[in-house]
Amino acid sequence: MRPLIYTGLVWLAALVPAHAQDGANPELVGELMGFHGAKAIVSVMTTHCYETTGLDSAYQEANDNWQLRNIGFLDLANRVAEGLGGGTPNEVKAAETYGGSQIMSAYNQAEDKDSFCRGFLEQVNSGALDIDMSLPAALKKAQAIATQ
């Protein structure tokens, strides 16, 4: 399952530049929109697994904890993308839609949905899907720009 999620994150970072406006660095804006795609991946899958596993509150707690750990990265992405002339609501929505569709596609391809959800929960709880772990290169670029 892990390769499917990481493949989705990589494709997300590659897709969004096509939607990015003509800013100073549309590729980086696209990569930063990938942060929103990562948020959608966690949100969509934790909600879906919560609903399909008998309302196991561990999924809601995992989502809440992910949000707390990553809110600063999302804020950074928004500020830097805006500074580069991007990060529009349409770009954010495209990233979220793409991220959500990719994780649902991975889920739908999984032979054992329960195992997929349990594995996903483990990845969220371990921090493996946190922005600093899943999109470190884009995060480093954004941090460098923000400190200038």
Side-chain angles (χ1 to χ4, degrees):
M1 178 195 65
R2 176 174 263 171
L4 291 174
I5 293 169
Y6 287 120
T7 301
L9 288 171
V10 170
W11 275 101
L12 178 63
L15 170 80
V16 180
H19 292 90
Q21 293 182 357
D22 293 329
N25 191 338
E27 288 184 33
L28 180 55
V29 170
E31 290 177 43
L32 296 173
M33 291 301 98
F35 291 22
H36 289 283
K39 175 185 173 189
I41 286 171
V42 172
S43 177
V44 165
M45 202 66 239
T46 54
T47 299
H48 185 74
C49 289
Y50 167 76
E51 292 170 352
T52 59
T53 58
L55 306 180
D56 183 344
S57 63
Y59 291 95
Q60 289 179 318
E61 184 177 333
N63 182 57
D64 292 346
N65 290 336
W66 187 94
Q67 296 290 336
L68 290 172
R69 291 191 310 266
N70 290 276
I71 191 71
F73 301 139
L74 291 162
D75 180 60
L76 173 67
N78 290 338
R79 287 185 288 116
V80 171
E82 276 184 28
L84 295 172
T88 66
N90 286 341
E91 291 168 347
V92 170
K93 183 69 174 167
E96 291 172 345
T97 300
Y98 185 77
S101 69
Q102 290 302 297
I103 194 60
M104 286 309 299
S105 178
Y107 173 82
N108 289 333
Q109 292 176 23
E111 289 185 31
D112 184 346
K113 309 293 193 237
D114 188 58
S115 291
F116 186 93
C117 281
R118 281 184 276 129
F120 186 83
L121 180 62
E122 288 174 23
Q123 287 187 19
V124 173
N125 284 335
S126 73
L129 297 180
D130 285 5
I131 290 168
D132 59 335
M133 298 300 291
S134 60
L135 298 166
L139 177 59
K140 187 174 182 176
K141 291 175 194 176
Q143 289 169 329
I145 289 171
T147 59
Q148 292 178 353

